[in-house]
């Protein structure tokens, strides 16, 4: 069962437990087996998100009041915020595709593009979306290994993209009009950036395609040729930083981006199917119920607090959340390096070779280590992640600084697992 840090220190000092994992910190009892233990069990509650997913480990107990009435109380034991790297995966794939197009257009030696009529297996997801499912499943699997999890609760939310875009189902923004005619009417036949009219206008992406912008009509605007050339692939916030009034007007006319909503709609059912492989009962709940529970408990909006109140909570019958974790374990997906053997330049040509060997002197990039230095500027004991070098002078990154250290002064604490761990305070109103 999850315990208080003071209790963990007492067990470790008495020799009744050993450290099983340092990040996240997990201890294992040495003088008691599972057969000799009686635990009530805990439940894992998940609030999925496109960029961040909130996970809470909680327990529900029955509390007897002074008048003899029984009420259910929920205690939050552990709060975890998982930060995905789907945007990095998507940008990496787009960058690689751009390199290929550049080499083909330059008539260089490269393979011809494959046919566009390739079929994909049922349930296929892009790597950037599949990462959200697999990273959440991996973290929940670890929690099931560290704690006696008896059930899993997931918020199964679906976003109405038509309602978010502000369009009616049968009469959308482009009903009865071509895109160019609609844009001319929307932007009053003037440039969206400088306001000039009576000149040739081009169709411009407000959020550039190179930065994840889509081809939806809400992301299109009219721009004169000088503004279109000057903006290029810059973000609109950067291009109009010196004109905040024009920027506010432009963003007010542009509609909400649907990338996050589409990602959630595509992965919602796939996540539930993946969690069922953990051999635990999986229950799904609506986002409206989560919002109702959070409002009734008077809690602010956050992924971890939404995860804590996910599921049935009879607050009309006296149920309440009596404990909220003060700290949140922040787990950031960083990956395990790159498969590329060369580092390309801006045009996609190899600039330098990357080492094929991943480990040097027994260490790999991302390992959690402890460095004991007896002299010099960095004298003392330091704990952090390292980036290895073939010379043996590894780069150590701690919570406060970064410096080089010899492999002779480094001791391995935990192998890198593709994630980094940190602590942040919970948002409590």
């Amino acid at each position: 069962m999850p315990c208080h840090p003071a209790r963990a220190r007492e067990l470790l000092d008495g020799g009744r437990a050993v450290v099983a994992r340092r990040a996240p910190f997990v201890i294992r009892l040495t003088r008691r087996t599972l057969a000799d233990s009686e635990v009530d069990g805990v439940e894992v509650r998940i609030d999925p998100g496109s960029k961040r997913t909130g996970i809470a480990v909680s327990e529900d107990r029955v509390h007897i009041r002074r008048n003899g009435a029984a009420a259910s109380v929920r205690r939050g034991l552990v709060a975890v915020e998982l930060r995905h790297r789907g945007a990095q995966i998507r940008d990496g794939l787009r960058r690689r595709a751009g390199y290929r197009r550049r080499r083909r257009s330059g008539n260089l030696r490269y393979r011809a593009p494959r046919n566009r009529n390739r079929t994909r297996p049922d349930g296929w997801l892009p790597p950037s979306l599949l990462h959200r499912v697999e990273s959440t499943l991996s973290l929940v699997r670890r929690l099931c290994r560290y704690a006696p999890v008896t059930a899993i609760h997931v918020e199964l939310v679906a976003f109405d993209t038509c309602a978010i875009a502000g369009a009616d189902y049968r009469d959308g923004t482009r009903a009865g009009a071509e895109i160019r005619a609609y844009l001319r009417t929307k932007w009053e036949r003037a440039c969206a950036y400088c306001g000039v009219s009576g000149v040739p206008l081009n169709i411009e992406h407000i959020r550039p395609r190179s930065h994840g912008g889509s081809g939806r009509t809400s992301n299109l605007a009219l721009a004169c040729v000088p503004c279109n050339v000057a903006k290029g692939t810059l973000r609109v916030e950067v291009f109009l930083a010196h004109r905040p009034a024009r920027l506010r007007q432009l963003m007010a006319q542009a509609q909400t981006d649907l990338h996050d909503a589409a990602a959630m709609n595509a992965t919602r059912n796939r996540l539930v199917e993946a969690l069922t492989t953990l051999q635990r009962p999986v229950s799904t709940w609506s986002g409206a119920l989560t919002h109702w529970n959070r409002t009734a408990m008077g809690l602010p909006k956050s992924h971890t607090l939404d995860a804590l109140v996910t599921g049935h909570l009879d607050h009309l019958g006296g149920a309440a959340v009596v404990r909220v974790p003060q700290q949140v374990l922040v787990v950031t997906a960083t990956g395990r390096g790159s498969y590329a053997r060369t580092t390309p330049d801006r045009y996609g040509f190899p600039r330098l070779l990357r080492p094929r060997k991943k480990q040097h002197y027994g260490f790999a990039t991302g390992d959690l280590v402890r460095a004991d230095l007896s002299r010099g500027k960095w004298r003392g004991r330091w704990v952090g992640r390292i980036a290895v070098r073939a010379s043996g002078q590894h780069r150590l990154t701690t919570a406060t600084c970064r410096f080089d250290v010899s492999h002779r002064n480094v001791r391995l604490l935990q192998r890198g697992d593709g994630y980094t761990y940190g602590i942040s305070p919970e948002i409590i109103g």
Side-chain angles (χ1 to χ4, degrees), residues 129-351:
L129 298 184
L130 185 61
H131 158 75
R132 295 178 173 90
V133 177
E134 293 182 344
S135 58
T136 305
L137 176 64
S138 176
L139 185 56
V140 175
R141 181 184 291 112
R142 293 185 183 183
L143 293 177
C144 293
R145 189 165 63 248
Y146 299 151
V149 177
T150 59
I152 301 175
H153 301 270
V154 188
E155 178 184 322
L156 190 65
V157 60
F159 292 94
D160 190 344
T161 54
C162 289
I164 295 176
D168 186 75
Y169 285 99
R170 289 173 295 182
D171 188 15
T173 56
R174 292 185 297 173
E178 296 291 338
I179 295 180
R180 292 181 179 273
Y182 169 74
L183 292 176
R184 286 194 293 266
T185 304
K186 178 180 179 180
W187 300 102
E188 298 179 353
R189 300 177 181 272
C191 177
Y193 301 123
C194 63
V196 65
S197 59
V199 297
L201 300 175
N202 298 335
I203 296 180
E204 161 70 14
H205 290 82
I206 299 176
R207 183 180 181 183
R209 296 293 297 271
S210 60
H211 293 286
S214 64
R216 294 175 57 240
T217 309
S218 59
N219 192 43
L220 301 179
L222 295 180
C224 61
V225 176
C227 289
N228 192 7
V229 175
K231 180 175 179 293
T233 58
L234 293 176
R235 297 182 182 271
V236 66
E237 295 83 3
V238 178
F239 180 67
L240 295 180
H242 63 290
R243 305 179 65 182
R246 174 68 67 174
L247 178 61
R248 288 193 298 267
Q249 179 182 0
L250 180 67
M251 299 308 295
Q253 289 185 264
Q255 296 180 358
T256 307
D257 192 6
L258 300 180
H259 279 96
D260 296 338
M264 293 302 302
N265 290 341
T267 58
R268 54 195 294 267
N269 294 324
R270 186 67 173 272
L271 177 60
V272 176
E273 295 175 0
L275 293 174
T276 55
T277 61
L278 300 178
Q279 306 300 324
R280 303 293 196 284
V282 180
S283 302
T284 58
W285 308 90
S286 65
L289 179 61
T290 301
H291 177 74
W292 186 30
N293 292 339
R294 176 167 50 82
T295 304
M297 295 296 104
L299 298 175
K301 169 67 176 178
S302 72
H303 282 293
T304 51
L305 294 179
D306 279 355
L308 181 59
V309 298
T310 296
H312 178 67
L313 190 63
D314 188 14
H315 43 81
L316 298 179
V321 177
V322 298
R323 185 181 184 276
V324 176
Q326 301 295 320
Q327 292 183 332
V328 177
L329 174 64
V330 180
V331 182
T332 305
T334 58
R336 296 176 179 269
S338 174
Y339 291 104
R341 295 304 181 188
T342 60
T343 299
D345 57 11
R346 57 181 299 184
Y347 301 105
F349 295 101
R351 181 170 57 89

Side-chain angles (χ1 to χ4, degrees), residues 12-86:
L12 291 172
D13 295 340
R16 299 169 55 187
V18 295
V19 177
R21 189 177 179 86
R22 293 183 175 269
F25 192 77
V26 180
I27 62 174
R28 177 176 55 84
L29 298 179
T30 59
R31 302 179 183 177
R32 184 185 301 174
T33 62
L34 181 61
D36 299 333
S37 305
E38 294 183 3
V39 293
D40 297 331
V42 296
E43 297 179 344
V44 173
R45 305 179 184 277
I46 307 173
D47 174 48
S50 175
K51 297 182 177 65
R52 303 182 181 185
T53 294
I55 302 175
V57 179
S58 65
E59 62 175 353
D60 292 353
R61 294 184 178 181
V62 178
H63 176 69
I64 305 299
R65 299 181 176 178
R66 295 181 179 179
N67 56 4
S72 175
V73 296
R74 179 172 299 175
R75 298 175 65 247
L77 303 176
V78 179
V80 183
E81 182 182 278
L82 175 60
R83 298 181 179 179
H84 305 290
R85 64 183 190 100

Side-chain angles (χ1 to χ4, degrees), residues 92-104:
L93 293 175
R94 288 181 175 177
R95 190 181 307 111
R96 186 180 65 179
Y99 292 157
R100 289 175 175 172
R101 286 194 297 268
R102 168 65 182 87
R103 287 190 286 264
R104 290 173 186 143

